[in-house]
Amino acid sequence: MRNPFLAGAVVVVTTAALAACGSSGGGGGDEAAGPGPAAASGPAAPSEPVTGSGAGSQDSAPAGPRASRSSEPPKIPSDRLTPATGTFTKKQKEYLTGRVPVGMDPAAVLQSGQESCDRLTYLVKVDRDLAAGAVVAGEVSDAESAAAHLCTRHRELVERASHGYADGVHRGEELRPGRYRDVSPTARCTWEVTGPGGNVLVSGSSADGKRTTITVPKAALAFTSTGCYAWLPEGDNG
């Protein structure tokens, strides 16, 4: 009777011990599992500013101000265009409309337009073709608007210049068939007109510095001018 009793007691104690060990092992597993994600997520947080998209977005944050600086500043409304003293004429106000940035004196913008008119007037007295050539070459700032509102006597000249060619390469819609005469060519003035396949249709030079008349044919695809300053239309295509 004693031996069976002892055997049963051993079984009970062993079972209790195993249960206690299992309980202790499970608790240790939970504790290990708990810190596990924390340990995995802990280093990830400081690494995100280095490799994550958040750092990139922080670096690119100033892009907004840069874009706004490059945008065109607002203009003074036409009903608020008034000089410090006196008044603007109707033509002057038409010229200034949409041109004066907020914070700028309208009189300063008007002066710039009047200076363009003065330059045109001077050049016309020297050589009318030279004056038109200066417009073609972009040497008279805002000539079209100045002639349209402030010095209308030069409007026809500026219109003619709008059909001319400055030095450079002109292609596609820029080309207008017809006759053209160069303005103030240098001794290194050369020109070339090419057509389909790059074939040269017209070419030449002006080593003597004299003005030359050329014809741009309908088949032209490109017109290149170097050292000729500007070309003005002749005849009906002007």
Side-chain angles (χ1 to χ4, degrees), residues 18-142:
L18 290 174
C21 291
S23 174
S24 173
D30 291 342
E31 289 174 1
S41 62
S47 68
E48 287 177 0
V50 178
T51 60
S53 60
S57 61
Q58 290 174 359
D59 293 340
S60 61
R66 284 199 296 269
S68 63
R69 285 198 298 269
S70 63
S71 60
E72 189 176 350
K75 301 298 189 297
I76 298 177
S78 58
D79 58 350
R80 294 175 55 193
L81 289 170
T82 55
T85 59
T87 58
F88 290 130
T89 66
K90 180 181 178 180
K91 289 295 183 182
Q92 289 173 337
K93 201 164 186 178
E94 288 176 354
Y95 173 78
L96 292 172
T97 298
R99 296 177 179 279
V100 186
V102 172
M104 180 176 285
D105 183 3
V109 178
L110 178 62
Q111 181 180 355
S112 176
Q114 290 174 334
E115 288 174 353
S116 296
C117 287
D118 292 343
R119 179 166 174 76
L120 283 173
T121 299
Y122 170 77
L123 291 173
V124 166
K125 290 180 179 178
V126 175
D127 186 320
R128 188 172 180 82
D129 282 351
L130 185 62
V135 175
V136 174
E139 295 182 355
V140 181
S141 62
D142 207 18

Side-chain angles (χ1 to χ4, degrees), residues 171-185:
R171 294 187 176 91
E173 295 181 357
E174 296 180 41
L175 295 177
R176 294 171 296 276
R179 295 172 60 241
Y180 295 85
R181 182 155 52 96
D182 56 7
V183 178
S184 189

